[in-house]
Amino acid sequence: MKITCNQQILSKTLNTVSKAVSTRTTLPVLKGILLEAKADGSLTLTASDLEISIQKTIQVNVEEPGSAVVVSKLFGDIIRKLPNEEILLEQAEDGSILIKTNSSEFTVVSLPVDEFPKVSDQEEERDHLVFDAEIFKDMVKKTSFAASLDESKGVLVGVLTEIHPESVSMVALDGYRLAISTEKMTSAEDNHFIISAKIINEISKIIAEDGDAEDVEIYLGKKKATFRIGTTEVVLRLMEGEYIKYRDIMPTQSTTDIVIGRAILQESIERASLLAREGKNNLIKMTIKNNLLTITSRSEEGNVREEIIMEKEGEDLEIGFNSKFVIDVLKVIDDDEIVMHFLTGTSPCMVKPVSGDAYEYLILPVRIPTM
């Protein structure tokens, strides 16, 4: 193998592909990136941790086709530190890789190509979906934060995607909050799949880094899915298991409804949480009375009180929340105003848009201790 390529293009590609490199493995080859140079002038870089594989192709000058596996961290660090100019990569007879620029020269060992896992879905595809790239990123942002971090909770560490003939929804929940994002999309038939929140966040980052991709193509199999984003291909395992019937846990009625400015509510809770962090459960108390929402928090360090004017329909109410769970929701919403629905001081709160159903959030309350 002998090629020349631009440092910046190669560095950016390594940054994308290395997201699939395994950091915890006893197999040395999984810490590597496969380089495949072809006579047509293409260089394909591939990494895999057996759960997710990322492959990206760039155009280079190929003098001698060939393939090699390089240690991802060392090779990536070297390429990133080199100046922005043409780089020569050449494989010696002993398998080592020469990395050369006008003023620098490195030689690094390579790993056995035949031990690198074959990246192929080799599976009959059930469905082909096309997402708008920006919509996909936005839906991931609005939901993935609510997925569980506890691996023992099975599919709850994932994000559920539900495809309907005229809409698509992403859903995540961890037992304390539930997040749903819905957008219009036309599909031939109903479908659903679950992807680990960690992996779907990486896909979202790849879309952001690509910059040019307008669409995300998804090819679904029974156990795997392939995502195509520009010249990047991601093959991943779908999570297996039955997702919770989340609609069953959502309140269908309320006794108190408020319309309130999202930004001012977020800022007030963030200030109140400075003291809430010093106590237990990041506890803040919301008191809804007439057209005033009062947010209070107290700890051994002191106490805080914030007041916000709002629009209210229904009864007055007192309810406690973990401030982090409310802030997490408010941070991913772009609307100027939101609607909050309450049933009792010990029932879940629902957060929705003023009109439409682009998002729905359920937040469990925290019992307020008697003072």
Side-chain angles (χ1 to χ4, degrees), residues 352-365:
K352 296 182 180 182
V354 174
S355 61
D357 61 353
Y359 54 83
E360 297 171 90
Y361 295 100
L362 177 149
I363 309 169
L364 284 186

Side-chain angles (χ1 to χ4, degrees), residues 130-142 168 170 181-185 204 207 214 216:
V130 180
F131 270 85
D132 176 277
E134 289 302 314
I135 287 175
F136 184 89
K137 270 197 316 178
D138 190 58
M139 292 181 77
V140 171
K141 180 188 82 169
K142 282 183 162 63
V168 57
M170 287 190 189
S181 176
T182 303
E183 292 286 348
K184 290 180 180 178
M185 190 172 89
S204 187
I207 295 169
E214 294 183 359
V216 178

Side-chain angles (χ1 to χ4, degrees), residues 3-5 36-44 57-63 65:
I3 65 169
T4 54
C5 58
E36 295 175 290
K38 296 178 182 174
D40 63 1
S42 66
L43 175 67
T44 300
T57 301
I58 56 175
Q59 292 302 305
V60 299
N61 180 28
V62 179
E63 294 183 39

Side-chain angles (χ1 to χ4, degrees), residues 215-241:
D215 295 319
V216 178
E217 291 188 82
I218 306 174
Y219 297 86
L220 284 175
K222 288 185 178 180
K223 294 186 176 180
K224 292 183 179 179
T226 301
F227 284 68
R228 289 191 183 140
I229 305 142
T231 59
T232 304
E233 186 169 288
V234 181
V235 180
L236 55 90
R237 287 183 189 273
L238 297 172
M239 298 189 73
E240 297 182 33

Side-chain angles (χ1 to χ4, degrees), residues 116-181:
F116 196 84
K118 295 285 185 288
V119 177
S120 173
D121 34 8
Q122 293 298 310
E123 198 179 35
E124 188 178 339
E125 291 160 357
R126 286 187 303 173
D127 209 353
H128 173 224
L129 309 170
V130 180
F131 270 85
D132 176 277
E134 289 302 314
I135 287 175
F136 184 89
K137 270 197 316 178
D138 190 58
M139 292 181 77
V140 171
K141 180 188 82 169
K142 282 183 162 63
T143 54
S144 61
F145 71 89
S148 177
L149 300 175
D150 184 352
E151 293 290 338
S152 69
K153 291 198 173 181
V155 294
L156 293 190
V157 301
V159 175
L160 168 69
T161 301
E162 291 185 315
I163 313 293
H164 301 295
E166 295 182 356
S167 67
V168 57
S169 296
M170 287 190 189
V171 184
L173 66 93
D174 63 0
Y176 301 100
R177 62 261 178 99
L178 162 68
I180 306 169
S181 176

Side-chain angles (χ1 to χ4, degrees), residues 16-33:
T16 297
V17 173
S18 63
K19 296 181 194 303
V21 173
S22 181
T23 53
R24 299 175 184 173
T25 180
T26 55
L27 298 172
V29 76
L30 294 184
K31 294 181 179 179
I33 291 177

Side-chain angles (χ1 to χ4, degrees), residues 9-80:
I9 293 172
L10 181 57
S11 180
K12 185 179 177 182
T13 305
L14 284 166
N15 188 48
T16 297
V17 173
S18 63
K19 296 181 194 303
V21 173
S22 181
T23 53
R24 299 175 184 173
T25 180
T26 55
L27 298 172
V29 76
L30 294 184
K31 294 181 179 179
I33 291 177
L34 173 64
L35 310 177
E36 295 175 290
K38 296 178 182 174
D40 63 1
S42 66
L43 175 67
T44 300
L45 293 84
T46 308
S48 176
D49 67 358
L50 303 181
E51 291 295 321
I52 176 174
S53 304
I54 301 177
Q55 192 170 77
K56 188 173 179 68
T57 301
I58 56 175
Q59 292 302 305
V60 299
N61 180 28
V62 179
E63 294 183 39
E64 294 176 16
S67 58
V69 178
V70 292
V71 177
S72 172
K73 187 172 188 316
L74 176 60
F75 186 74
D77 287 347
I78 291 170
I79 299 301
R80 273 189 289 274

Side-chain angles (χ1 to χ4, degrees), residues 304-322:
V304 58
R305 178 187 179 94
E306 295 271 344
E307 293 183 343
I308 308 170
I309 294 172
M310 58 173 187
E311 295 177 28
K312 185 198 80 167
E313 283 188 12
E315 302 172 6
D316 292 344
L317 185 79
E318 275 194 358
I319 190 166
F321 288 108
N322 181 322

